Amino acid sequence: PPLVHITAPECLSLEYYSLLPSHCSDYHFEYTECDALGSRWRVAVPNKADICTGLPDPVKGTQCTFSCSEGEYLNMQSQQCQKCAAGTYSLGTGVAFDEWDSLPSGFVTQGVNTNGEDVATDCSNSTWTPKGDYIASNTDECTATLSYAVSLKKPGTVSFDYFYPDNSIYFEFFVQNDQCQSTDSQSRWIKISESSWSKHRVELNSGNNVLYWRATTYTLLGSAVKPVMLRNIAISGVAYTSECFHCKPGTHSAKQGSARCAPCPADTFSNKGATVCHQCDRDKYAEAGSASCKPRPACTNSDFFYTHTPCDSEGKTQLMYKWIEPKICSETVKGAVKLPASGDKQTCPPCNPGFFVTNSSTCEPCDKGFYSNGTACSECPVGSEPVVGFEYKWWNTMPKNMRSAVFRREFSDSQQITAWEVAGEYVYTTPGDQDTDYLMLTLNVPGYRLPQSMTTDSERSELSRITFVFETVCSADCKFFFLAVSGNWNNDVVEQWRGTSRKQSYSYLIQSNSTTSFTWTFQRTEEFNMVRHNHRKYSADVAKIYSIHITNVLGGVASQCRHCALSSTKAGSACVPCPPGHYMVNGTGVCKSCPPNTFVRADQPVGEAACVQCGPNTETNKAHTACLSDCALDVETAGGAPLHYDFSPLANVSGFHSSPRFTNKGLRYFHSFNLGLCGKEGRVLATCVDNVTESGREVRGYICQSTVVPSDIRSQSVVSSQPFLIGDSLIGTEYLVLYCRHVCNVSRSSETTQACKQGRSAAIRLRCNPTVTTKDLIMLPSNCSEGTCDGCTFHFLWESQHACPLCTKNHYREIVSACIQGIQRTTYVWQQPLQCYGGESLPAQKVSACVTLDFWLKFGVSTGTVAAVLLVTISCYFWKKTRKLQYKYSKLMMNSRGKECELPTADSCAIMEGEDAEDDIMYLSKRSVFKGLFTYSKKDHANVIDVLYITKYWLTNKF
């Protein structure tokens, strides 16, 4: 009969024989390869190569993309997912490798020489080595590669745990696909582990993937190299899982459908496929994840250590004894020692320099600008700066920037985290769980800063120096390392000592300003003893560090202050300056007050020249560091009427663009200017940014400029680059009379360039234009369209109605109308041309009552008429009276018979006909005849005799 071959994904051949005489019952199911439509068939495959009949017919299989979840497997009989039983686990669409007794199937490891063909190095044995729970890399100067090929049915992931503590090894992980394309070179390098296992995860594409773990070792000074270790490699996205895996010894899964097995706790153990962990007997112990228990050895002096408690409120510390964790020894075994009693109180050591004692007897660092000898903080005097650094010589508690850790070459899940303990006058290594442990003490330093007071070349060359005093006492081949770790790849073994070393000092000069970690590592022996209770054979060997001193550390504390050169200080200097508004007398440390309305130069705070007078119409700020304008200006004019300006509406930051520019390739761009005219302290400054580069550089000041590309060129709304300051300080505000009135605001930038050795400056001219309604009508000079002709001096013209003086009474006049129908109106109008804005408003029109000319004319005519009539009446009256008097006089004269000057005697006092009944007495005096007649006219005459007598008497006296 014909032979049929069906190839499965695992490359297994499938043979079918028809018409065979024997019946076959020992078989299993597999899927065929997927066709172009993503379909496949389930077929039965004999477990033995015997000729048999009765195999189930092929049936339609699940889709190629079908998969089960974690904790499930695919039952090929029913083609359904089922949960894994207790004691087993499944990753669903993944595979896991957590047992490394031998190299799992599919993994390949090899070692190659990377030092070139000229170096004869045999690297055939420099491979990754299985260690039971993990696999370790090589430690010689070869490159060891571990690879695994896998075909994914859908996108998946690969994850693994790694321990990578030594920068002497370059460790990378990358993936290659069908076209041999590798992972991006920037993401293939693995980060250094701190003190525990780390996890790494990478996304995988569907199809064929080859995973590579590669370690390359570069040893320095013959030091021992710590290998890279891998464990728990898991890959998802592979084909279906048709079975569950048993939990390895030392782990268990108590529930169905487990995706992974949990390790057994300490002092418990389990066998393969366990559902529970079993407790060890009391005289035995087991580490976490153990498959069996071991007898407990007798406790010795090497199984405990001592430490000190933090100081209490009474300034006392207690001496405490503790068992090394995990405790594996027994105190009941014959010959075992007991843990010494704890609680003995001792006086706390003083605080380290730069720290002070709080009320709770703890040590806290002094504030910036203060120093101490370990008791109380004092402020550095004027003209000095704190000498910052770290000096540790008292060890009551572990400093916050130091930590201890244990590194074990042979992996263990031991919970021991204490490697170094404080002991008052020194810090020492505690007995470890194993003699081969690396006991590490690490000091982290963020960086360094050279004090600005250092002026000599020798001082400038010494960026920082670390000095420490140590001692080692060993009975075996112990090693003591001092390492300086800078960055991710520069792990330098600075120095190492072997065996016992007397108490001595070591100093190391630091020349690179970067984040650095200094590590002191102590290893009792490199010889690993497989007998568990002999792992602490040399636990009495110890390393002690008495003091550590490192200088010029960023964020450090100070134990003293030194004189500094204030004349060379810059921003951020630690040199203690004089109070605001004061300058220091040269070389004396004495501060004197600057004259009023001056500010102190930041670049030259020494000498009287440090005080700079503020410019016109500006005043100094509270800190006496700059001059400000309050947006108000008063100007005395020749006419005597003062002008008042208020620029506060222009105080906010204003932006404007130059006319468009074009590059050689036709790219359009603009020069963007941001301007902050005036304002008080706390005002918003003009800001220009760079949003093109990752640096995101930003400048702030009165005036700044940047180059802007419009949005139709790039995807961003606005692309701004190349920002720089034009003016960061205000020089003054002046009133100028050119062809028209201007107010000039002048600012300057202290930022110098090769072209502008004196810095940049700018003049902003404010032109009054009441007709301008837009706020920001700022123009550039027509002959210098970029705002400057030399690149250093900029000119801007700002037309605005707010640049006009405030209106006053002198800017308007009144117009009085004629009196119409008894109403007169007064109207106020602006003087033309109008040269003011705001201020006083025009008064409202006034309306008042008035008298017209026709009224007075009528009044005068009427009055004249009445006077004329009265005059005529009086004249007629007196004429009549005169006629009567003349008549009577003539009658008397006729009766006198011609005798002169002699009047006749009155014959009678009777009233004559026509005379009044009553006459008033008239007292004669020397008065005019007309007044007498007038008075007489008002009186009633008694009789003719009286009148004649009066007339005679008057004529006699008159003539």
Side-chain angles (χ1 to χ4, degrees):
L3 185 65
V4 180
H5 293 276
I6 300 177
T7 305
E10 291 79 5
C11 300
L12 300 176
S13 62
L14 183 63
E15 300 181 355
Y16 286 96
Y17 295 89
S18 63
L19 302 178
L20 294 178
S22 62
H23 181 77
C24 188
S25 60
D26 187 14
Y27 60 88
H28 67 276
F29 293 106
E30 291 186 2
Y31 282 122
T32 64
E33 286 187 351
C34 298
D35 57 20
L37 300 177
S39 302
R40 57 186 175 182
W41 292 81
R42 189 200 70 177
V43 297
V45 180
N47 291 329
K48 297 181 181 180
D50 296 336
I51 299 176
C52 61
T53 60
L55 291 173
D57 294 333
V59 297
K60 187 76 171 180
T62 60
Q63 290 294 319
C64 293
T65 58
F66 176 82
S67 61
C68 294
S69 302
E70 291 183 343
E72 298 179 340
Y73 72 99
L74 179 62
N75 187 328
M76 295 296 291
Q77 182 70 36
S78 62
Q79 298 194 70
Q80 298 293 326
C81 294
Q82 295 183 358
K83 290 185 177 181
C84 293
T88 63
Y89 72 97
S90 168
L91 296 178
T93 60
V95 293
F97 304 95
D98 54 6
E99 295 185 49
W100 299 92
D101 297 322
S102 61
L103 197 64
S105 176
F107 280 88
V108 178
T109 179
Q110 61 179 352
V112 297
N113 179 17
T114 57
N115 293 326
E117 298 179 355
D118 297 336
V119 180
T121 303
D122 184 11
C123 295
S124 58
N125 295 325
S126 299
T127 58
W128 290 77
T129 306
K131 296 288 186 179
D133 292 330
Y134 61 92
I135 184 170
S137 69
N138 63 317
T139 56
D140 54 10
E141 292 189 350
C142 293
T143 298
T145 303
L146 178 68
S147 62
Y148 180 76
V150 61
S151 178
L152 301 186
K153 299 302 181 183
K154 61 180 181 179
T157 61
V158 56
S159 63
F160 56 89
D161 297 340
Y162 71 93
F163 188 63
Y164 173 32
D166 198 334
N167 277 331
S168 298
I169 297 179
Y170 288 179
F171 178 41
E172 57 182 327
F173 170 75
F174 58 94
V175 182
Q176 283 187 349
N177 56 17
D178 293 343
Q179 289 77 32
C180 294
Q181 295 174 341
S182 300
T183 306
D184 181 41
S185 59
Q186 297 296 327
S187 60
R188 63 168 56 190
W189 298 105
I190 304 298
K191 294 182 179 179
I192 292 290
S193 301
E194 294 295 334
S195 59
S196 60
W197 289 83
S198 303
K199 182 174 285 292
H200 189 71
R201 179 186 175 94
V202 175
E203 301 289 334
L204 299 177
N205 297 323
S206 59
N208 295 326
N209 292 270
V210 183
L211 315 179
Y212 290 94
W213 293 266
R214 186 158 63 191
T216 304
T217 306
Y218 294 93
T219 58
L220 298 173
L221 301 176
S223 60
V225 178
K226 307 175 187 65
V228 178
M229 294 180 288
L230 300 176
R231 68 176 183 181
N232 297 337
I233 299 177
I235 304 171
S236 65
V238 298
Y240 61 90
T241 299
S242 60
E243 62 178 343
C244 298
F245 304 97
H246 289 89
C247 293
K248 68 177 182 177
T251 63
H252 73 288
S253 64
K255 298 180 180 180
Q256 292 183 346
S258 297
R260 57 191 56 83
C261 298
C264 290
D267 294 333
T268 62
F269 72 99
S270 69
N271 298 318
K272 186 174 183 179
T275 59
V276 295
C277 298
H278 304 285
Q279 190 72 31
C280 294
D281 296 336
R282 295 188 61 181
D283 59 344
K284 293 184 179 181
Y285 74 97
E287 297 177 349
S290 297
S292 62
C293 298
K294 301 174 183 179
R296 292 183 181 273
C299 291
T300 65
N301 291 331
S302 301
D303 291 310
F304 65 85
F305 65 95
Y306 63 93
T307 184
H308 290 79
T309 62
C311 295
D312 57 20
S313 58
E314 299 177 354
K316 298 291 184 179
T317 180
Q318 291 182 338
L319 182 64
M320 307 296 292
Y321 293 93
K322 298 180 181 180
W323 293 110
I324 297 174
E325 296 295 338
K327 182 185 177 184
I328 63 174
C329 66
S330 174
E331 301 177 62
T332 60
V333 178
K334 184 180 180 180
V337 299
K338 300 291 184 179
L339 186 68
S342 300
D344 184 23
K345 286 192 174 184
Q346 301 175 353
T347 302
C348 285
C351 293
N352 284 308
F355 292 79
F356 69 97
V357 183
T358 63
N359 295 332
S360 58
S361 298
T362 59
C363 295
E364 293 293 335
C366 293
D367 294 335
K368 184 178 179 181
F370 288 76
Y371 71 100
S372 82
N373 59 359
T375 54
C377 299
S378 302
E379 188 174 6
C380 289
V382 173
S384 65
E385 65 179 338
V387 182
V388 296
F390 289 115
E391 184 178 1
Y392 302 117
K393 60 181 181 179
W394 300 108
W395 305 90
N396 185 54
T397 57
M398 189 68 72
K400 295 180 180 180
N401 58 346
M402 298 183 72
R403 59 181 176 84
S404 66
V406 178
F407 170 73
R408 186 165 294 123
R409 289 187 69 173
E410 299 298 329
F411 172 72
S412 170
D413 283 329
S414 170
Q415 298 300 313
Q416 179 188 1
I417 59 174
T418 302
W420 294 72
E421 273 292 345
V422 295
E425 295 183 352
Y426 55 85
V427 59
Y428 73 103
T429 54
T430 61
D433 188 29
Q434 298 179 14
D435 288 339
T436 55
D437 290 346
Y438 289 92
L439 308 178
M440 298 182 296
L441 178 66
T442 303
L443 169 65
N444 295 315
V445 179
Y448 312 94
R449 182 180 65 183
L450 190 68
Q452 295 182 2
S453 61
M454 292 186 176
T455 56
T456 63
D457 294 337
S458 60
E459 288 177 322
R460 284 180 179 161
S461 62
E462 186 172 312
L463 177 63
S464 179
R465 181 180 294 273
I466 182 170
T467 304
F468 59 93
V469 178
F470 72 98
E471 178 186 20
T472 59
V473 179
C474 304
S475 59
D477 57 339
C478 68
K479 291 183 180 179
F480 185 64
F481 303 92
F482 173 59
L483 300 90
V485 182
S486 177
N488 287 335
W489 308 111
N490 299 324
N491 186 3
D492 295 335
V493 178
V494 179
E495 189 61 83
Q496 63 176 325
W497 297 264
R498 294 178 180 269
T500 300
S501 300
R502 60 178 178 80
K503 187 176 180 180
Q504 58 184 285
S505 175
Y506 180 80
S507 182
Y508 172 66
L509 181 64
I510 302 166
Q511 296 180 343
S512 175
N513 192 356
S514 61
T515 301
T516 309
S517 294
F518 298 100
T519 303
W520 294 265
T521 302
F522 181 70
Q523 185 186 35
R524 291 181 171 89
T525 182
E526 289 185 329
E527 182 180 351
F528 184 76
N529 197 326
M530 295 302 295
V531 182
R532 182 66 185 87
H533 62 270
N534 286 336
H535 284 183
R536 301 179 183 176
K537 181 180 179 180
Y538 306 110
S539 59
D541 294 356
V542 65
K544 299 179 181 180
I545 298 179
Y546 292 91
S547 65
I548 300 174
H549 184 203
I550 182 170
T551 62
N552 303 335
V553 179
L554 288 175
V557 295
S559 60
Q560 59 179 337
C561 299
R562 66 177 149 210
H563 181 73
C564 55
L566 276 172
S567 59
S568 61
T569 56
K570 299 180 180 179
S573 171
C575 198
V576 179
C578 288
H582 293 70
Y583 69 94
M584 180 176 291
V585 180
N586 290 324
T588 63
V590 178
C591 296
K592 285 190 175 182
S593 177
C594 285
N597 203 31
T598 59
F599 68 94
V600 181
R601 295 176 54 184
D603 58 341
Q604 186 71 28
V606 177
E608 196 170 353
C611 302
V612 180
Q613 187 70 34
C614 287
N617 300 298
T618 61
E619 59 182 10
T620 183
N621 59 359
K622 293 181 180 179
H624 293 268
T625 57
C627 296
L628 303 176
S629 171
D630 60 356
C631 301
L633 178 63
D634 294 331
V635 179
E636 295 291 338
T637 60
L643 299 178
H644 306 281
Y645 290 85
D646 182 12
F647 305 127
S648 55
L650 306 178
N652 295 330
V653 176
S654 303
F656 62 99
H657 297 290
S658 67
S659 56
R661 302 287 187 275
F662 296 90
T663 64
N664 295 334
K665 296 184 178 180
L667 178 65
R668 186 164 60 110
Y669 66 95
F670 300 87
H671 289 312
S672 175
F673 299 90
N674 286 330
L675 185 152
L677 184 66
C678 57
K680 297 182 179 180
E681 291 189 75
R683 70 192 187 283
V684 178
L685 299 176
T687 305
C688 296
V689 299
D690 181 357
N691 60 8
V692 177
T693 62
E694 295 181 356
S695 63
R697 181 171 173 264
E698 182 179 279
V699 295
R700 293 175 178 268
Y702 277 91
I703 311 172
C704 61
Q705 177 187 326
S706 61
T707 301
V708 174
V709 179
S711 59
D712 56 349
I713 304 299
R714 297 284 298 273
S715 60
Q716 298 179 354
S717 58
V718 173
V719 178
S720 177
S721 64
Q722 301 175 0
F724 64 88
L725 272 177
I726 298 177
D728 58 6
S729 60
L730 182 64
I731 297 178
T733 302
E734 295 181 308
Y735 178 80
L736 305 177
V737 179
L738 302 176
Y739 295 104
C740 56
R741 291 174 177 174
H742 289 73
V743 176
C744 187
N745 217 27
V746 184
S747 60
R748 180 181 297 275
S749 171
S750 58
E751 190 177 274
T752 61
T753 62
Q754 185 176 1
C756 305
K757 299 185 182 302
Q758 302 299 323
R760 300 183 181 94
S761 62
I764 307 170
R765 287 178 170 83
L766 304 178
R767 176 180 291 174
C768 172
N769 190 345
T771 62
V772 176
T773 58
T774 58
K775 175 185 175 183
D776 303 332
L777 183 57
I778 307 176
M779 295 173 288
L780 301 174
S782 57
N783 58 336
C784 301
S785 57
E786 294 185 357
T788 178
C789 296
D790 58 0
C792 301
T793 303
F794 291 77
H795 296 274
F796 306 97
L797 178 60
W798 194 341
E799 285 195 10
S800 174
Q801 54 188 234
H802 300 292
C804 299
L806 299 178
C807 294
T808 61
K809 294 181 180 180
N810 299 323
H811 289 94
Y812 62 82
R813 60 188 178 90
E814 65 178 18
I815 299 176
V816 181
S817 66
C819 184
I820 302 174
Q821 297 180 353
I823 297 176
Q824 189 175 50
R825 303 177 186 273
T826 304
T827 305
Y828 299 90
V829 295
W830 294 113
Q831 300 279 5
Q832 296 297 328
L834 181 61
Q835 292 293 330
C836 70
Y837 182 80
E840 291 191 15
S841 302
L842 279 177
Q845 187 183 61
K846 293 182 179 180
V847 178
S848 59
C850 61
V851 180
T852 60
L853 181 62
D854 294 340
F855 171 80
W856 289 109
L857 181 61
K858 293 178 181 179
F859 178 79
V861 171
S862 300
T863 304
T865 303
V866 172
V869 172
L870 182 61
L871 182 62
V872 170
T873 302
I874 293 173
S875 299
C876 293
Y877 174 78
F878 281 105
W879 179 81
K880 185 178 180 180
K881 287 291 184 180
T882 305
R883 293 282 296 174
K884 288 180 179 182
L885 290 175
Q886 289 178 353
Y887 169 74
K888 291 179 179 182
Y889 180 75
S890 299
K891 190 176 181 180
L892 289 175
M893 290 298 294
M894 291 175 62
N895 294 331
S896 62
R897 298 180 181 95
K899 297 179 180 180
E900 294 183 1
C901 299
E902 182 178 342
L903 292 177
T905 305
D907 296 332
S908 175
C909 293
I911 300 173
M912 295 186 70
E913 185 180 358
E915 295 179 347
D916 296 330
E918 296 179 357
D919 290 328
D920 294 333
I921 299 176
M922 298 183 64
Y923 298 93
L924 300 178
S925 60
K926 292 182 179 180
R927 57 182 70 180
S928 64
V929 65
F930 296 104
K931 286 184 178 181
L933 291 175
F934 180 76
T935 301
Y936 178 78
S937 67
K938 289 184 177 180
K939 309 297 180 179
D940 296 327
H941 308 287
N943 46 58
V944 175
I945 299 174
D946 294 335
V947 174
L948 295 176
Y949 179 79
I950 293 170
T951 304
K952 178 182 178 181
Y953 183 80
W954 179 79
L955 293 174
T956 303
N957 292 329
K958 189 71 175 176
F959 300 101

